[in-house]
Amino acid sequence: MKILYVTHQFLPDYVAGTEILVYRTAKEFAGRGYGATVFAGFPTADSAESHGRFDSYVYDGIPVYRCHYHRRFDIGHGNQMLEEYDNALVLKNFRRTLAKIEPDIVHIYHLHRLSARIVEVCKDAGVPAVFTITDYWGVCPTCQLLASDGTICPGPGRHMANCFRHMAEYAGKARLFDAVPDAVLVFFIRMGASRIFPKKSLREILRALLDRPGLIRSMMGMVDEIQVPTQFMKELLVRFGLEEERIRLLPFGVEYPEVEIRRNGSGEGRLRVGFIGSLLFHKGAHVLCEAVRLLPRETPVRFDIYGSPEHGPDYARRLQSIVGQDSRVFFRGEFAPEQLFSILARMDVLAVPSLWHENTPLVIHSAQAAGLPVVAANVGGISEIVTNEENGLLFEKGNAKQLASILERLCRKPAILERLSKKARRPLSMQVYADEVGKTYRELTES
């Protein structure tokens, strides 16, 4: 059986949860004798020369076909609102790749900046399609249901006024609309998207914004099976208009050692707190850094922050500015995926201060596999796998003071860590996850 995996970006240039999940899944099935290939996007600089360029390479034995797209939304460059969910150049290259690979099944993990019509292409070719949801792209153009001020967004509102504000934020033009009431903005969007509006470029962008939910809902309705890791995500998609019977609850798999994992003792009398994730606003590393500032200097604690500063340099500089010269904080950069458990072994607790409704971060699953307690924001996607005072500790989203209080408590009463560690929930192994996914592959290809 030949499987074509589809994702918005891939290793080695991008190393986040979705990319690692796709890699581990493809690698597992390749090891079982399946033909595993990846079709991916690649965020480039905002230059017309790079847009749509197609190349290929092999990563750890897995063939990867890659189409370049613009990194950021820019209302001054073409209709990037449309390209965010229906990129014609990417779709053209996907058709070519599908014809070349001739897969038996296509497994989609992310379509941001690619094209929702990839599902339609599969349908026309008679190839079954599975879609594993790893964030909120299907509902939200920013993928996070999160405004730039850190407030949770309920999803597309009437006439997409909230989505328009979010995209203006991404384009760096939020101030133009800050003082505009929603009613006025709705009128502007409706008029701007109509044929009577004189400026064609803006008219097409607004039309693309209004058309987004309907097209994605239509394409998702063609998917043979949608897989989600949490009940929270399933309920959200049903509210969005997808059929509940088409959605399967399947937690993500994690590749971890099959032997008991032992963490190294600190040997230094300090609580070792770790953060692993993208250094981007929605992951909330700044909340952790603000908590550091609130802890007295004599507090016996050390912070190791892992993540690349390259994908959000302005944000990374903000983190450095918050902690200043605090000698308790270390910015460690990125690491290779195979180093994860050796790094977790050097922590006493993992901090996950996310500001958005997460979709069960793989790093939490990995920490739990290592018996590592988690201190995390009490948001959807996390609260389903971390129970307060059982296998971790939860705090109010964005509340640095509450997080600092929890860390002080752990410093005073380290026995709490041992209690939480004993209740750690072992996640699905990658082998068991692949077994379940493989059942879907066989059912769809045989039918």
Side-chain angles (χ1 to χ4, degrees):
M1 182 186 296
K2 291 187 289 185
I3 312 160
L4 180 59
Y5 295 93
V6 179
T7 185
H8 61 323
Q9 53 198 35
F10 195 61
L11 285 71
D13 300 279
Y14 289 87
V15 186
T18 299
E19 296 90 311
I20 291 174
L21 181 61
V22 174
Y23 162 67
R24 299 288 193 203
T25 306
K27 191 69 177 174
E28 177 67 25
F29 278 99
R32 298 183 180 197
Y34 291 68
T37 305
V38 172
F39 178 89
F42 182 71
T44 66
D46 295 335
S47 62
E49 293 76 18
S50 61
H51 185 47
R53 188 162 62 86
F54 189 73
D55 58 14
S56 62
Y57 62 99
V58 176
Y59 181 80
D60 196 15
I62 301 171
V64 181
Y65 293 86
R66 184 172 65 175
C67 189
H68 296 223
Y69 58 76
H70 290 293
R71 180 181 287 116
R72 294 193 179 278
F73 179 79
D74 180 1
I75 62 176
H77 180 91
N79 192 349
Q80 286 202 37
M81 183 66 248
L82 181 62
E83 291 180 358
E84 183 275 320
Y85 67 91
D86 190 12
N87 192 316
L89 286 171
V90 173
L91 192 63
K92 179 181 178 180
N93 282 307
F94 177 78
R95 284 195 181 96
R96 292 175 178 173
T97 304
L98 191 72
K100 181 176 182 177
I101 303 300
E102 295 185 332
D104 298 291
I105 196 161
V106 171
H107 193 158
I108 301 165
Y109 277 85
H110 215 301
L111 293 177
H112 180 61
R113 295 285 185 194
L114 304 185
S115 177
R117 294 186 189 276
I118 280 176
V119 177
E120 188 175 48
V121 171
C122 294
K123 192 77 171 178
D124 291 344
V127 181
V130 181
F131 202 144
T132 293
I133 306 295
T134 62
D135 64 20
Y136 304 100
W137 172 84
V139 178
C140 171
T142 69
C143 304
Q144 298 152 10
L145 287 175
L146 186 72
S148 61
D149 63 357
T151 58
I152 297 291
C153 176
R158 189 164 177 255
H159 300 299
M160 307 288 283
N162 53 342
C163 294
F164 182 87
R165 290 189 190 278
H166 291 188
M167 299 315 294
E169 290 165 4
Y170 267 55
K173 302 182 185 297
R175 292 183 180 179
L176 296 176
F177 306 98
D178 279 346
V180 180
D182 274 358
V184 176
L185 193 57
V186 166
F187 177 79
F188 169 74
I189 293 171
R190 290 179 64 185
M191 291 297 101
S194 68
R195 293 181 179 179
I196 63 173
F197 194 76
K199 191 171 182 179
K200 181 181 178 182
S201 59
L202 182 57
R203 183 173 72 236
E204 290 178 345
I205 288 172
L206 294 175
R207 186 73 261 162
L209 179 67
L210 292 174
D211 289 345
R212 186 184 193 277
L215 178 65
I216 292 181
R217 192 179 295 114
S218 173
M219 294 298 105
M220 295 287 278
M222 297 181 186
V223 175
D224 294 280
E225 180 174 285
I226 298 170
Q227 298 176 351
V228 297
T230 65
Q231 185 65 30
F232 179 87
M233 173 59 77
K234 182 176 182 178
E235 292 171 359
L236 178 70
L237 293 179
V238 171
R239 290 200 303 271
F240 183 60
L242 300 184
E243 299 174 3
E244 185 173 2
E245 298 73 19
R246 193 182 295 273
I247 305 172
R248 178 188 179 189
L249 187 62
L250 179 62
F252 298 147
V254 176
E255 188 173 275
Y256 56 85
E258 290 300 326
V259 297
E260 183 180 357
I261 303 165
R262 296 186 181 276
R263 298 198 314 281
N264 303 323
S266 66
E268 56 187 38
R270 291 196 290 177
L271 178 71
R272 301 169 302 168
V273 183
F275 171 92
I276 298 175
S278 302
L279 297 186
L280 298 171
F281 177 80
H282 65 285
K283 288 294 185 179
H286 64 281
V287 179
L288 181 61
C289 291
E290 288 165 2
V292 174
R293 293 277 302 272
L294 295 173
L295 290 172
R297 287 281 181 172
E298 64 272 15
T299 306
V301 64
R302 188 187 83 196
F303 296 87
D304 293 302
I305 298 176
Y306 292 89
S308 172
E310 296 179 4
H311 304 317
D314 291 341
Y315 183 73
R317 284 190 289 271
R318 175 184 172 185
L319 299 180
Q320 292 276 4
S321 175
I322 292 173
V323 300
Q325 300 301 314
D326 197 314
S327 60
R328 299 171 296 178
V329 182
F330 301 86
F331 290 92
R332 304 295 190 181
E334 279 188 321
F335 57 86
E338 59 270 18
Q339 295 177 285
L340 174 60
F341 283 94
S342 65
I343 288 173
L344 291 174
R346 299 195 291 270
M347 297 178 185
D348 296 311
V349 62
L350 177 74
V352 187
S354 299
L355 296 177
W356 65 309
H357 287 306
E358 282 275 10
N359 201 12
T360 62
L362 287 175
V363 69
I364 292 184
H365 283 313
S366 298
Q368 289 287 279
L372 183 65
V374 177
V375 173
N378 187 8
V379 294
I382 290 179
S383 57
E384 286 188 41
I385 57 176
V386 178
T387 301
N388 193 41
E389 298 290 349
E390 183 176 316
N391 63 330
L393 300 171
L394 298 176
F395 63 93
E396 181 186 3
K397 174 182 75 73
N399 193 328
K401 184 177 180 180
Q402 191 177 11
L403 173 56
S405 177
I406 289 174
L407 296 177
E408 275 194 294
R409 177 189 172 202
L410 294 177
C411 288
R412 294 193 312 269
K413 300 179 180 180
I416 295 174
L417 292 169
E418 187 64 26
R419 172 172 62 83
L420 298 175
S421 178
K422 289 179 179 178
K423 293 290 186 177
R425 298 171 187 170
R426 207 167 179 85
L428 287 184
S429 68
M430 181 51 67
Q431 292 74 27
V432 174
Y433 172 76
D435 288 343
E436 292 300 314
V437 173
K439 291 177 185 177
T440 296
Y441 292 169
R442 289 189 294 274
E443 289 171 2
L444 293 179
T445 53
E446 289 171 3
S447 64

